[in-house]
Amino acid sequence: MRSLNEKCAVVGLFGSTNAAKLAYLGLYAMQHRGQESTGISVSDGEKIATIKDRGLVSHVFNDSVLARLPGQSAIGHNRYSTAGEDSILDAQPVFARYDLGEMAIAHNGNFPNAQVVRQRLIDEGAIFQSSMDTENLIHLIARSQKGRLQDRILDALMQVDGAYSLLFLSRTKLFAARDPHGFRPLSIAKLPDGGYMIASESCAFDLVGAEFIREIEPGEMVILQRGSEPVSIPFAQPQPKHCIFEHVYFARPDSFLFGQSVYAVRKELGRLLYQERPIEADMVIPVPDSSIPH
């Protein structure tokens, strides 16, 4: 596997009058989670359109580009590559057509058993177009014998290990899933226009005026569909093991994740650090910027 998507940003919109624009704003708020590439997939109820490219959110998208993405549901992704080549083939969301219709996937995390799963799929005749472990899910879902997409997604999740926050966009529904450890953050909020928003960090909600509801639980899949409140499906026993790096460095200080304020946690870490290693100093220099609260 050439590339990982271990620390990225995902955003999802459902039932919104301007899903593409809100996805853009959500990705813009989470630009710190990935600067290599960005992308948005939007469904108008009949088909899914995807635009993605290398570069920052503001460089890839503008009003004229977003106008080409009409629809009331969308998912978006900012890529932060920890390994591999800078390839547009590795940009997300990943789009595919299969026997049930069309689907796009956005993924934050990684599957340690990805190479084993991929080799099995290749041995069975699958053809891959990228180095992303996310593409494994496309094949697992397409090959599943289950009748409904939600059951195919759960079937695929049972075959992968690791840390993941996943968004699946079909033509009429949005699915959000978080691994049993809840390693990466993922939350849901209510939009002013009555729709819903899902994002890696709560700072994305603040920018568009969405009201934070809760974090998606470890081992939970949430389904957003027209004419219904969000449906919760627990698919694995929760075993919370949150990523400390989110609080130490990666998340924005004004975000709220793992049940705590990032700024407050960093400030407390600094206090505890002094308790462990007290020194008298004339100057304290934070490096990098995220260590200012510490």
Side-chain angles (χ1 to χ4, degrees):
M1 304 293 291
R2 286 193 293 105
S3 63
L4 300 175
N5 302 280
E6 192 172 348
K7 302 174 184 67
C8 300
V10 295
V11 63
L13 284 304
F14 189 84
S16 172
T17 55
N18 198 350
K21 183 61 177 292
L22 294 182
Y24 164 83
L25 292 173
L27 292 175
Y28 186 86
M30 297 186 292
Q31 186 72 85
H32 61 287
R33 298 187 68 87
Q35 297 85 39
E36 183 176 302
S37 63
T38 188
I40 296 174
S41 293
V42 178
S43 172
D44 62 3
E46 296 183 357
K47 62 181 182 300
I48 296 175
T50 301
I51 295 177
K52 56 185 178 180
D53 204 348
R54 290 184 292 268
L56 302 177
V57 176
S58 59
H59 294 166
V60 175
F61 296 102
N62 54 41
D63 288 341
S64 62
V65 174
L66 293 172
R68 292 154 48 194
L69 294 171
Q72 295 189 334
S73 57
I75 61 173
H77 185 273
N78 285 338
R79 182 168 185 258
Y80 176 99
S81 176
T82 53
E85 299 175 4
D86 179 15
S87 170
I88 187 59
L89 294 176
D90 292 332
Q92 295 193 40
V94 180
F95 170 80
R97 292 184 178 90
Y98 69 121
D99 61 327
L100 296 184
E102 297 181 343
M103 174 178 54
I105 302 178
H107 173 210
N108 172 27
N110 66 290
F111 304 132
N113 69 333
Q115 188 59 54
V116 174
V117 174
R118 172 175 291 232
Q119 190 57 55
R120 172 170 61 84
L121 290 168
I122 291 174
D123 292 342
E124 294 172 356
I127 299 174
F128 286 82
Q129 296 184 350
S130 76
S131 64
M132 290 182 293
D133 47 9
T134 314
E135 195 176 355
N136 288 1
L137 292 171
I138 294 284
H139 292 281
L140 292 173
I141 291 171
R143 289 165 178 261
S144 173
Q145 299 302 305
K146 304 293 184 180
R148 298 184 301 174
L149 177 55
Q150 69 183 63
D151 296 324
R152 291 191 181 199
I153 292 173
L154 294 175
D155 191 18
L157 295 181
M158 294 300 103
Q159 301 179 61
V160 297
D161 300 324
Y164 53 81
S165 291
L166 286 159
L167 297 180
F168 302 85
L169 178 68
S170 72
R171 289 174 293 183
T172 59
K173 297 179 182 180
L174 178 63
F175 305 82
R178 194 174 176 201
D179 74 82
H181 298 302
F183 198 67
R184 297 290 172 208
L186 194 66
S187 299
I188 184 170
K190 189 71 176 287
L191 292 165
D193 63 7
Y196 291 92
M197 183 174 187
I198 294 173
S200 295
E201 290 189 37
S202 62
C203 62
F205 304 147
D206 300 334
L207 187 60
V208 302
E211 182 181 355
F212 178 89
I213 297 176
R214 65 177 178 88
E215 292 189 70
I216 293 174
E217 296 296 325
E220 178 188 19
M221 181 169 73
V222 172
I223 305 175
L224 301 178
Q225 53 193 336
R226 196 174 302 279
S228 169
E229 294 294 313
V231 176
S232 171
I233 300 180
F235 64 88
Q237 184 67 34
Q239 300 176 352
K241 296 179 182 177
H242 299 147
C243 175
I244 187 63
F245 194 58
E246 293 281 354
H247 271 312
V248 170
Y249 166 77
F250 204 65
R252 248 176 60 167
D254 57 337
S255 284
F256 184 90
L257 52 88
F258 304 148
Q260 295 176 292
S261 158
V262 174
Y263 181 89
V265 169
R266 288 179 182 165
K267 190 173 180 180
E268 179 67 6
L269 289 173
R271 189 183 70 83
L272 293 173
L273 177 61
Y274 180 80
Q275 283 188 348
E276 287 189 10
R277 294 290 186 271
I279 60 169
E280 295 299 322
D282 298 314
M283 182 180 296
V284 178
I285 302 174
V287 181
D289 181 72
S290 60
S291 62
I292 290 176
H294 298 72

